[in-house]
């Protein structure tokens, strides 16, 4: 029987600008359809770092002509246009192979806790580089700004943990209809619950953490995190670097506590995998590159966590 797989696409699957994205999506679509052709059901999540950055920069540059867009709106826009390219690329590849399967992009909101510890220590840089005068004006609007050595000043936003996926019932319904779903793009549009209102938050949610939550909520069999390294390694970048082909969730947690994984790159991937695996039975996660996705699913590449 085929597996239900949540694929978390890294930045290398989308490129850094529109022409690169359109070219990269062709390769990404082939990797995804390879899994579908083998009988697996796929849900796709993706990052949006370069894309949302360009949207925000364009908005800030044109602030004298048109009002600046809130950060959550920029995230929604990035979900839309990335999904547009992805769903068309995947559909084209499906048609080429004679496979009929609808592909849908779902604008997805993810709730965050405004009192999350991360809210008090913003760590994600967004927007343009500013002068000291511009930074002071930005802070006067209630935004947090930090000095970037040798460059100037830049706005910083928090990276709170995802609490819940607002549109999860819609995602499940599409999956039950055997459609391929693209959801939780860029970690989801961050929102806070205020009574009956969902209010957009100026924050960035880690794409990998949301992907793990998504995998848990749709009861996936496998969380596949595609990144820019073939597998997870201990002592990464050091002379004694050691690749890991397989580890348990407990071993992964021990390595996290030792500080083996970078806080801004591999650590969220490992944490997402552990959270997903521990939330159910018979689950696994794999971390590898897009090119090795099919081999990793067969246990021939990447790092598998059980």
């Amino acid at each position: 029987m085929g597996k239900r797989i949540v694929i978390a696409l890294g930045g290398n699957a989308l490129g850094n600008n529109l022409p690169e994205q359109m070219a990269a999506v062709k390769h990404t679509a082939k990797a995804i359809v390879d899994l579908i052709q083998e009988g697996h059901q796929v849900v796709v999540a993706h990052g949006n770092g370069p894309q949302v950055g360009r949207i925000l920069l364009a908005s800030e540059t044109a602030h004298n002509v048109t009002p600046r867009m809130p950060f959550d709106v920029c995230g929604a826009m990035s979900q839309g246009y990335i999904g547009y390219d992805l769903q068309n690329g995947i559909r084209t590849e499906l048609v080429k192979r004679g496979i009929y399967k609808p592909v849908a992009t779902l604008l997805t909101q993810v709730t965050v806790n405004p009192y999350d510890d991360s809210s008090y220590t913003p760590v994600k840089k967004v927007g343009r580089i500013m002068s000291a005068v511009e930074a002071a004006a930005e802070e006067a609007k209630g935004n947090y700004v930090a000095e970037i050595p040798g460059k100037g000043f830049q706005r910083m936003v928090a990276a709170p943990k995802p609490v819940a996926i607002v549109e999860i019932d819609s995602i499940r319904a599409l999956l039950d209809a055997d459609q391929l779903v693209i959801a939780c793009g860029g970690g989801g549009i961050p929102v806070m619950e205020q009574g009956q209102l969902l209010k957009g938050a100026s924050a960035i949610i880690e794409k990998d953490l949301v992907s793990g939550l998504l995998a848990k909520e749709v009861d996936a069999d496998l969380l596949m995190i595609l990144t820019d390294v073939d597998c997870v390694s201990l002592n990464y970048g050091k002379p004694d670097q050691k690749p890991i082909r397989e580890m348990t969730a407990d071993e992964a947690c021990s390595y996290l506590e030792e500080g083996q994984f970078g806080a801004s790159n591999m650590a969220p991937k490992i944490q997402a995998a552990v959270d997903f695996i521990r939330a159910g039975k018979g689950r696994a996660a794999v971390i590898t590159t897009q090119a090795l996705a099919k081999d990793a699913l067969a246990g021939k590449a990447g790092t598998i966590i059980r």
Side-chain angles (χ1 to χ4, degrees):
M1 283 183 65
K3 299 179 183 293
R4 176 171 284 185
I5 304 171
V6 169
I7 299 178
L9 297 176
N12 60 327
L14 299 172
N16 292 308
N17 53 51
L18 189 55
E20 285 184 12
Q21 178 171 304
M22 295 179 71
V25 160
K26 293 181 181 179
H27 298 289
T28 301
K30 290 178 181 178
I32 291 170
V33 176
D34 280 346
L35 303 183
I36 293 170
Q37 197 162 34
E38 291 188 348
H40 304 296
Q41 188 177 44
V42 173
V43 187
V44 178
H46 60 79
N48 71 340
Q51 294 84 0
V52 75
R54 287 196 301 276
I55 292 169
L56 183 62
L57 184 60
S59 176
E60 290 178 339
T61 302
H63 72 278
N64 289 325
V65 179
T66 183
R68 285 170 49 173
M69 289 179 291
F71 191 64
D72 58 302
V73 173
C74 294
M77 292 176 68
S78 73
Q79 275 195 16
Y81 96 76
I82 294 170
Y84 167 61
D85 276 349
L86 274 175
Q87 72 181 35
N88 279 343
I90 294 168
R91 178 188 176 279
T92 299
E93 189 64 26
L94 287 167
V95 170
K96 283 181 180 178
R97 303 192 197 189
I99 302 171
Y100 174 76
K101 184 179 289 290
V103 184
T105 297
L106 189 65
L107 288 182
T108 317
Q109 301 172 96
V110 175
T111 58
V112 297
N113 180 359
Y115 303 107
D116 188 295
D117 288 345
S118 68
S119 298
Y120 305 103
T121 53
V123 295
K124 297 289 187 178
K125 296 179 285 189
V126 299
R128 72 193 194 286
I129 298 295
M130 297 176 285
S131 66
V133 173
E134 291 172 320
E138 192 72 20
E139 286 187 320
K141 298 174 186 176
N143 294 318
Y144 182 80
V145 176
E147 185 171 4
I148 310 301
K151 293 184 178 181
F153 297 82
Q154 198 166 10
R155 183 180 167 193
M156 307 286 285
V157 298
K161 295 178 181 177
V163 174
I165 298 168
V166 176
E167 288 78 18
I168 191 62
D169 288 337
S170 298
I171 295 169
R172 289 174 181 147
L174 289 167
L175 286 174
D176 289 343
D178 199 30
Q179 298 197 29
L180 190 153
V181 188
I182 301 166
C184 296
I189 304 163
V191 294
M192 300 176 290
E193 290 184 329
Q194 296 185 349
Q196 296 179 328
L197 175 68
L198 290 176
K199 180 177 175 57
S202 290
I204 292 175
I205 307 172
E206 288 285 357
K207 170 262 302 175
D208 297 308
L209 295 181
V210 172
S211 299
L213 177 60
L214 175 61
K216 181 177 72 172
E217 293 295 331
V218 300
D219 195 23
D221 300 296
L222 180 72
L223 171 63
M224 177 175 282
I225 300 176
L226 302 182
T227 184
D228 57 357
V229 292
D230 291 354
C231 64
V232 179
S233 294
L234 298 179
N235 305 316
Y236 182 74
K238 299 178 181 178
D240 58 344
Q241 178 174 322
K242 178 183 177 182
I244 306 172
R245 294 301 177 186
E246 187 169 351
M247 59 180 161
T248 66
D250 288 344
E251 288 172 333
C253 280
S254 295
Y255 293 138
L256 273 173
E257 292 172 0
E258 291 173 11
Q260 279 284 350
F261 308 121
S264 62
N265 43 53
M266 189 56 72
K269 296 173 175 55
I270 299 296
Q271 189 64 62
V274 169
D275 291 345
F276 165 64
I277 291 165
R278 287 181 168 175
K281 295 182 179 180
R283 296 174 171 180
V286 65
I287 300 174
T288 191
T289 61
Q290 179 178 294
L292 295 174
K294 191 174 179 180
D295 288 339
L297 187 59
K300 299 176 182 178
T303 297
I304 189 162
I305 308 170
R306 300 184 190 276

